[in-house]
Amino acid sequence: MVQIAVFVGTRGRGSNLRAIHDACSRGEVPARVTLVVGTRPDSGAIEWAREAGLPTVVVEPGDGYGPRLLDALKQAGVEWICLAGYLRLLPAEVLQAFPNKVLNIHPALLPKHGGKGMYGMHVHEAVLAAGDEESGCTVHYVTERYDEGAPILQMRCPVLPGETPEALAARVIVLEHQAYPEALRRVLQ
Ligand code: GRF
């Protein structure tokens, strides 16, 4: 079993964390969520993880953030990292310690609609403003730049006429929950 850490965001619901954890529990992905990493103790995702009995650690950004993160990951024996709602750039020392072993999911078809500031509803608003006929999600490798690593898997859906960003988000998140475990299964095979 590969030991993975899932990094969650301050505003995240943790729904991708749940999808990954469930797929691992069902034996569909040869991995185990060894650690859930957050930046704040009161995020929904961290609270859910605690209730689910998953090991959690909150590492608050600031002085020595990279070394503190690395310490927590090493102590837990983490081998791969999945970012799920984590909005920061990972510190360089963490990326160097996990070469080609960090994944992220983005709620659009990269390279479109990615980069700094493109998260949450901003992404779906941009897709609609661009008049795109389709959207979806992208699971990709993480580099030192936002949303630029090689894609692993994309799942697509049509953009419906007159749809709101919220409606599009609700359809894309369903794809995300299929795409993330499937991408993880592929890279671990
Ligand atoms: C997802 O839409 C993901 O694409 C983005 O952040 C959101 C996290 O949602 N990176 P959740 O916390 O997994 O529900």
Side-chain angles (χ1 to χ4, degrees):
M1 279 303 150
V2 177
Q3 315 279 330
I4 59 172
V6 179
F7 279 51
V8 295
T10 46
R11 287 185 256 184
R13 303 147 287 188
S15 71
N16 280 289
L17 162 65
R18 256 177 266 189
I20 291 168
H21 173 59
D22 290 350
C24 291
S25 306
R26 288 194 299 264
E28 293 163 11
V29 179
R32 198 163 72 89
V33 179
T34 305
L35 193 62
V36 178
V37 183
T39 49
R40 280 175 50 163
D42 57 352
S43 88
I46 286 288
E47 279 168 10
W48 178 82
R50 279 203 198 104
E51 279 163 27
L54 292 173
T56 61
V57 64
V58 173
V59 184
E60 298 195 19
D63 258 9
Y65 181 52
R68 284 187 283 122
L69 265 181
L70 212 45
D71 235 34
L73 296 170
K74 287 200 168 145
Q75 267 187 36
V78 169
E79 297 167 285
W80 280 73
I81 296 174
C82 294
L83 307 184
Y86 179 81
L87 296 180
R88 313 177 65 87
L89 285 176
L90 262 196
E93 51 264 79
V94 176
L95 279 177
Q96 279 155 19
F98 294 87
N100 289 316
K101 289 186 170 176
V102 186
L103 312 186
N104 179 45
I105 189 159
H106 185 76
L109 298 173
L110 291 174
K112 289 178 112 178
H113 312 302
K116 192 168 166 54
M118 284 304 251
Y119 61 88
M121 222 39 84
H122 301 302
V123 178
H124 306 293
E125 281 160 7
V127 170
L128 295 174
D132 292 357
E133 287 178 0
E134 60 172 9
S135 190
C137 63
T138 306
V139 183
H140 64 95
Y141 285 104
V142 171
T143 66
E144 66 286 353
R145 297 213 262 196
Y146 281 110
D147 301 325
E148 285 191 12
I152 298 160
L153 177 70
Q154 291 192 312
M155 285 194 179
R156 295 163 186 273
C157 61
V159 174
L160 305 179
E163 104 175 309
T164 60
E166 289 77 14
L168 180 57
R171 286 188 304 114
V172 169
I173 195 79
V174 175
L175 297 179
E176 292 188 41
H177 298 159
Q178 297 164 18
Y180 217 153
E182 174 58 19
L184 194 52
R185 195 183 64 76
R186 287 190 196 175
V187 298
L188 296 182
Q189 247 178 9

